[in-house]
């Protein structure tokens, strides 16, 4: 094998050709004199076995703490968290939650990440009260977690608490200025509330980050249709269609909650 890329291609083909359901391996790396990095990686075939899902969990630890922790338990926690990622990617949220619940939180750094994934999984399963509790737990430990604000905003939208949702999308944007989905979803809420100027501003921000974003152009065409601005309606509709937006799906793109 000439390089790591060739190695991964060989591994990928082997997994797809065989009946192997999972490959897991760990890596240990010294980072200078004061830190070490421990990571667990996985590759598993997609359900149809024609593509692969890959994931990685990683922790940086002080070198002086390395000998004082239960390394075997920490590795076990990383394995559970990493495999949970795989089932999450498969949209098997129930199984993902089971795996995340096995994490013993040997490391405080895992608490925020696992709780965030638990929150997102429960949100996808529409168990909103539990999801909200986990998002709140994430923000209690880490008040600068942009994905947690974004996920909490999605729950607030579904509970029709639109003003609170806007505040949380705004926080996600503030903490992560290039968080395209937060900006897009904030614009959808403004659209739902007939706050067209604010919605236009949000969609223009999305297009600054992603000039070919068909969804944002579709929303702009819907806004200008409501404002009876025929010229801009046709302009953005043509742009959206050129970027691949299916006209039959336009109503889906304008539903608040579709992209939480």
């Amino acid at each position: 094998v000439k390089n790591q890329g060739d190695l991964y291609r060989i591994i990928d083909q082997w997994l797809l050709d065989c009946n192997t359901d999972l490959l897991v391996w760990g890596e240990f790396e010294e980072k200078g004199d004061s830190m070490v990095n421990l990571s667990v990686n996985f590759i598993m075939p997609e359900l149809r076995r024609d593509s692969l899902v890959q994931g990685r969990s990683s922790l940086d630890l002080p070198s002086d703490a390395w000998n004082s922790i239960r390394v075997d338990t920490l590795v076990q926690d990383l394995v559970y968290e990493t495999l949970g990622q795989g089932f999450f990617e498969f949209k098997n949220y129930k199984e993902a939650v089971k795996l995340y619940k096995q994490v013993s939180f040997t490391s405080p750094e895992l608490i925020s990440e696992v709780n965030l994934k638990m929150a997102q999984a429960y949100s996808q399963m529409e168990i909103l009260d539990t999801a909200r509790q986990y998002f709140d737990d994430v923000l209690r430990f880490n008040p600068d977690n942009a994905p947690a604000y974004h996920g909490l905003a999605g729950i607030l939208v579904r509970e029709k608490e639109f003003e609170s949702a806007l505040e949380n999308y705004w926080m996600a944007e503030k903490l992560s200025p290039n968080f395209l989905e937060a900006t897009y979803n904030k614009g959808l809420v403004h659209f739902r509330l007939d706050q067209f100027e604010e919605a236009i501003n949000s969609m223009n921000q999305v297009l600054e980050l992603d000039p070919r974003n068909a969804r944002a152009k579709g929303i702009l065409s819907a806004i200008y249709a409501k404002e009876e601005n025929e010229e801009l309606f046709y302009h953005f509709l043509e742009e959206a269609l050129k970027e691949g937006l299916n006209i039959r799906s336009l109503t889906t793109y304008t539903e608040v909650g579709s992209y939480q």
Side-chain angles (χ1 to χ4, degrees):
V1 178
K2 294 181 179 180
N3 55 53
Q4 193 175 47
D6 290 338
L7 175 62
Y8 278 107
R9 279 190 288 274
I10 292 170
I11 292 172
D12 289 354
Q13 194 58 53
W14 176 68
L15 279 170
L16 291 173
D17 289 344
C18 301
N19 290 321
T20 304
D21 292 320
L22 177 67
L23 177 65
V24 180
W25 72 97
E27 298 175 4
F28 174 86
E29 177 187 3
E30 294 184 358
K31 303 178 71 174
D33 296 330
S34 60
M35 298 293 291
V36 297
N37 176 266
L38 181 67
S39 63
V40 172
N41 308 262
F42 80 88
I43 303 178
M44 61 172 64
E46 196 268 339
L47 295 178
R48 295 169 300 185
R49 303 191 71 86
D50 58 2
S51 61
L52 295 167
V53 173
Q54 303 184 32
R56 172 185 175 93
S57 294
S58 180
L59 280 177
D60 288 329
L61 297 165
S63 298
D64 57 6
W66 183 248
N67 295 324
S68 64
I69 62 173
R70 287 288 306 277
V71 177
D72 55 342
T73 304
L74 181 58
V75 171
Q76 178 179 282
D77 284 349
L78 282 171
V79 169
Y80 282 130
E81 199 243 340
T82 308
L83 295 181
Q85 286 183 37
F87 283 99
F88 190 94
E89 292 295 324
F90 285 149
K91 302 187 187 320
N92 187 341
Y93 304 114
K94 187 175 181 180
E95 195 64 35
V97 164
K98 287 182 182 178
L99 286 160
Y100 289 136
K101 284 184 175 179
Q102 299 302 312
V103 176
S104 62
F105 298 124
T106 308
S107 167
E109 288 83 356
L110 281 176
I111 294 175
S112 182
E113 183 61 31
V114 171
N115 280 347
L116 178 62
K117 285 297 185 183
M118 292 274 279
Q120 292 169 337
Y122 278 116
S123 180
Q124 292 290 341
M125 291 188 291
E126 295 293 327
I127 307 175
L128 300 185
D129 287 345
T130 303
R132 192 165 181 168
Q133 290 173 13
Y134 275 105
F135 280 128
D136 287 340
D137 286 343
V138 173
L139 293 171
R140 190 176 303 115
F141 282 101
N142 181 8
D144 293 332
N145 192 302
Y149 283 108
H150 181 259
L152 183 56
I155 292 175
L156 292 166
V157 166
R158 279 175 276 182
E159 294 178 344
K160 301 189 185 308
E161 298 180 38
F162 296 120
E163 294 301 327
S164 294
L166 286 172
E167 291 175 6
N168 281 272
Y169 282 135
W170 180 84
M171 280 297 298
E173 276 188 312
K174 179 183 176 183
L175 293 167
S176 182
N178 294 327
F179 199 158
L180 185 147
E181 286 297 309
T183 302
Y184 176 81
N185 281 319
K186 187 183 73 170
L188 275 184
V189 175
H190 284 303
F191 177 79
R192 172 72 174 269
L193 298 176
D194 290 336
Q195 298 169 350
F196 296 141
E197 183 177 352
E198 293 86 346
I200 290 169
N201 288 337
S202 291
M203 295 306 156
N204 283 332
Q205 289 177 42
V206 171
L207 293 175
E208 287 178 9
L209 296 170
D210 179 11
R212 299 189 60 181
N213 192 291
R215 292 182 294 158
K217 292 177 180 181
I219 293 295
L220 287 169
S221 70
I223 292 170
Y224 289 119
K226 283 179 171 285
E227 291 189 335
E228 299 182 354
N229 186 327
E230 188 172 325
E231 180 181 354
L232 288 176
F233 162 67
Y234 280 115
H235 168 74
F236 282 105
L237 181 59
E238 289 174 3
E239 286 286 311
L241 294 174
K242 183 171 68 175
E243 300 297 350
L245 180 68
N246 185 338
I247 189 64
R248 294 180 181 178
S249 302
L250 184 58
T251 54
T252 301
Y253 294 116
T254 60
E255 290 175 3
V256 175
S258 296
Y259 290 92
Q260 306 306 327

